[in-house]
């Protein structure tokens, strides 16, 4: 019987790469995977290019796992590739490849509905009163400052154009999230989300509905931003309307991508990659995706009790069962040794994604790094607070106090001044 092997990290040095999704259109092939009729089960290391290599567990432990891995495959105990499944990680990485290609070409995506950028800009100018866009961006900044103070402070170091664009993206994401988590969430229907998606398409075509839409509509004429991550986020909201359980991490991964990983993909074109960076656009997008996933996994772990009160459990059902836990245990909300052990595993996974994100942050333009570093450091501290609460995320909400937030800002600023990780490696 085949055994599924999923690894969150793997080495991706040139010696380990075997396959190039950029050249073969993302097809999965493993020319170096040995075929044996009788052999112990071997683990598989997979790079973001979907190349893979058979590696014994002991050998894998000694390798330098420098890049994230977002893929799952099925292998037989003998080590033969048995059935290749299209995992959530693989599906998402195809989106990553597309975004990276757009950034490299500095082109907006061609669509059948959107006019060329110049035409969209002209339509927008006609639709807005004099000074309207300036007022629209200012309002986005006010909303960002109100709901994400630390992040907002970090954006003040960015150039005006980039700062305003990030505010516009933040506000659209917040409005989208409010559809299913806000005060009117109980009245939201799939049809309402369909209308919101149509509104998004009009926005990308230069036909904004209101002032806040106009800010984002203007932003997409200035940066190579694709509509796909925005549509995917709306799909995440649709998921919340119909799904309250996740069979395994593969399902949860896709949900986390929809509602948070997409934010990273939206933001990279605005944040920009440092001109001196030697990192590939794919790796920077991959790190942005990892940060979104890490943040959402942290949200999930922080809000277990709150979500359970609404009948939702955003934890892998198979991993709960493996730990000897059930939905009933979540609803009871009692911290046990089983729960502590389960939470340690979940926290470790979230930290792995944060570690992957760190390298990518260093590759952004210097003036764009501070808000991202601040967000990363503060969100990761929530995991520390969960541990400090003895893993009681049923009745205690883990949060980072104001003093720790203030202390994190200079640390984040200091890290924003470091050389890109790719340059530090090249100088060794």
């Amino acid at each position: 019987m085949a055994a599924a092997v999923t690894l969150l990290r793997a080495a991706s040095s040139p010696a380990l790469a075997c396959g190039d999704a950029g050249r073969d259109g993302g097809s999965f092939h493993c020319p170096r995977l040995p075929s044996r009729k009788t052999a112990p089960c071997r683990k598989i290391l997979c790079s973001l290019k979907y190349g893979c290599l058979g590696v014994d567990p002991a050998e894998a432990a000694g390798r330098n796992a420098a890049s994230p891995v977002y893929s799952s495959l099925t292998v037989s105990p003998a080590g033969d590739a048995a059935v290749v499944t299209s995992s959530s990680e693989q599906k998402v990485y195809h989106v990553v490849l597309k975004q990276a290609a757009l950034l490299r070409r500095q082109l907006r995506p061609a669509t059948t509905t959107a006019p060329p950028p110049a035409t969209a800009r002209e339509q927008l100018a006609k639709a807005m009163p004099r000074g309207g866009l300036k007022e629209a961006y200012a309002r986005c900044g006010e909303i960002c400052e109100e709901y994400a103070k630390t992040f907002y402070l970090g954006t003040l170091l960015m150039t005006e154009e980039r700062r305003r664009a990030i505010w516009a993206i933040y506000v659209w994401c917040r409005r989208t999230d409010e559809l299913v988590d806000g005060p009117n969430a109980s009245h939201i229907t799939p049809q309402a989300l369909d209308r919101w998606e149509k509104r998004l398409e009009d926005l990308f075509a230069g036909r904004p509905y209101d002032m806040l839409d106009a800010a984002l509509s203007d932003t997409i004429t200035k940066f190579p931003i694709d509509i796909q991550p925005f549509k995917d986020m709306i799909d995440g909201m649709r998921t919340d309307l119909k799904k309250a359980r996740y069979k395994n991490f593969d399902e949860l991964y896709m949900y986390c991508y929809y509602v948070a990983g997409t934010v990273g993909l939206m933001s990279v074109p605005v944040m920009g990659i440092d001109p001196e960076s030697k990192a590939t656009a794919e790796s920077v997008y991959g790190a942005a995706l990892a940060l979104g996933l890490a943040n959402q996994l942290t949200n999930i772990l922080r809000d277990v009790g709150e979500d359970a009160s609404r009948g939702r459990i955003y934890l892998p059902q198979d991993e709960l069962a493996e730990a000897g836990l059930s939905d009933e245990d979540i609803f009871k909300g009692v911290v046990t040794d089983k729960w502590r052990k389960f939470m340690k595993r979940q926290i470790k996974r979230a930290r792995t994604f944060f570690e992957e994100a760190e390298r990518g942050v260093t590759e952004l333009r210097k003036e764009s790094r501070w808000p991202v570093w601040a967000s990363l450091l503060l969100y990761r501290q929530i995991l520390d607070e969960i541990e400090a609460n003895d893993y009681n995320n049923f009745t205690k909400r883990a949060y980072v106090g104001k003093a720790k937030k203030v202390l994190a800002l200079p640390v984040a600023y200091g890290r924003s001044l470091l050389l890109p990780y790719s340059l530090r490696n090249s100088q060794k």
Side-chain angles (χ1 to χ4, degrees):
M1 185 174 69
V5 181
T6 303
L7 301 180
L8 291 178
R9 297 180 57 125
S12 66
S13 65
L16 292 181
C18 64
D20 190 334
R23 288 198 301 267
D24 62 21
S27 61
F28 194 102
H29 60 95
C30 309
R32 302 182 195 172
L33 184 64
S35 175
R36 299 183 182 180
K37 293 184 178 180
T38 55
C41 181
R42 297 164 64 84
K43 289 189 181 290
I44 303 294
L45 294 185
C46 297
S47 76
L48 283 175
K49 296 290 188 183
Y50 302 153
C52 63
L53 180 71
V55 181
D56 288 320
E59 182 184 356
R63 294 189 182 273
N64 174 28
S67 291
V69 164
Y70 309 112
S71 57
S72 302
L73 68 157
T74 305
V75 295
S76 69
D80 299 326
V83 179
V84 176
T85 59
S86 183
S87 70
S88 294
E89 296 96 326
Q90 289 169 323
K91 292 174 185 175
V92 170
Y93 197 65
H94 284 303
V95 181
V96 169
L97 292 176
K98 179 185 175 185
Q99 307 311 304
L102 285 170
L103 186 64
R104 281 197 302 269
R105 294 196 301 267
Q106 288 292 300
L107 294 174
R108 291 184 65 247
T111 68
T112 56
T113 57
T119 304
R121 200 173 296 125
E122 291 166 5
Q123 290 182 355
L124 188 58
K126 291 177 181 177
M128 292 293 292
R130 184 181 298 273
L133 274 176
K134 183 177 181 180
E135 184 181 348
Y137 279 118
R139 180 58 187 141
C140 288
E142 291 170 0
I143 296 171
C144 186
E145 182 180 16
E146 181 178 357
Y147 293 100
K149 290 181 176 63
T150 303
F151 182 78
Y152 171 81
L153 286 174
T155 65
L156 298 181
L157 283 185
M158 301 170 70
T159 63
E160 182 180 8
E161 186 174 64
R162 294 179 190 277
R163 175 170 67 244
R164 299 197 312 173
I166 286 296
W167 292 345
I169 291 172
Y170 171 84
V171 168
W172 185 88
C173 292
R174 181 164 188 86
R175 294 174 87 186
T176 303
D177 184 66
E178 286 287 303
L179 293 175
V180 297
D181 278 339
N184 297 315
S186 60
H187 303 295
I188 293 298
T189 64
Q191 291 72 32
L193 292 177
D194 291 343
R195 289 193 295 272
W196 186 250
E197 184 168 5
K198 176 60 170 62
R199 178 169 169 164
L200 172 71
E201 292 167 353
D202 286 344
L203 181 161
F204 264 76
R207 299 188 296 272
Y209 281 49
D210 62 19
M211 174 191 292
L212 300 179
D213 280 355
L216 183 56
S217 194
D218 182 62
T219 289
I220 64 176
T221 69
K222 298 174 180 177
F223 298 94
I225 298 173
D226 186 20
I227 197 172
Q228 188 62 52
F230 294 82
K231 283 177 168 283
D232 287 346
M233 177 174 277
I234 295 173
D235 277 342
M237 303 305 113
R238 291 189 177 102
T239 301
D240 263 332
L241 292 183
K242 62 186 179 182
K243 194 176 180 70
R245 300 289 187 280
Y246 293 84
K247 291 190 301 184
N248 48 42
F249 183 68
D250 190 68
E251 284 194 359
L252 186 62
Y253 179 100
M254 183 58 79
Y255 172 75
C256 290
Y257 160 70
Y258 280 150
V259 301
T262 49
V263 180
L265 304 192
M266 298 171 192
S267 303
V268 169
V270 176
M271 296 286 187
I273 298 176
D274 192 304
E276 297 182 359
S277 171
K278 295 184 180 298
T280 64
E282 289 89 342
S283 68
V284 177
Y285 269 101
L289 169 66
L291 180 56
L293 296 172
N295 286 344
Q296 185 58 27
L297 289 172
T298 300
N299 279 338
I300 288 169
L301 299 180
R302 179 194 63 194
D303 298 338
V304 169
E306 181 182 329
D307 290 331
S309 68
R310 297 186 297 167
R312 297 182 175 277
I313 298 177
Y314 294 98
L315 299 167
Q317 291 287 304
D318 61 343
E319 294 178 20
L320 281 170
E322 185 180 318
L325 298 165
S326 66
D327 289 359
E328 190 61 31
D329 293 306
I330 305 297
F331 294 132
K332 285 181 180 178
V334 178
V335 177
T336 63
D337 287 341
K338 287 182 179 179
W339 178 251
R340 293 185 184 93
K341 184 177 180 180
F342 172 79
M343 281 300 302
K344 287 177 183 178
R345 177 181 179 183
Q346 304 305 310
I347 288 174
K348 182 178 180 180
R349 173 185 282 145
R351 283 180 173 146
T352 297
F353 281 107
F354 277 123
E355 289 168 9
E356 293 303 338
E358 282 194 15
R359 293 191 175 98
V361 178
T362 68
E363 309 297 345
L364 297 174
R365 296 182 69 91
K366 186 177 292 186
E367 66 270 19
S368 298
R369 296 175 199 161
W370 191 26
V372 184
W373 269 118
S375 173
L376 188 155
L377 294 176
L378 290 173
Y379 245 81
R380 187 162 56 187
Q381 285 187 55
I382 293 175
L383 299 175
D384 300 336
E385 297 301 323
I386 293 174
E387 291 173 331
N389 288 340
D390 193 28
Y391 305 99
N392 181 3
N393 42 9
F394 299 117
T395 59
K396 291 184 179 180
R397 182 179 174 87
Y399 68 94
V400 180
K402 185 175 292 187
K404 290 183 178 180
K405 287 182 178 180
V406 171
L407 290 174
L409 289 176
V411 175
Y413 182 72
R415 294 197 182 188
S416 73
L417 301 178
L418 297 175
L419 274 175
Y421 186 81
S422 58
L423 291 181
R424 281 179 267 165
N425 275 355
S426 66
Q427 292 178 2
K428 290 181 180 179

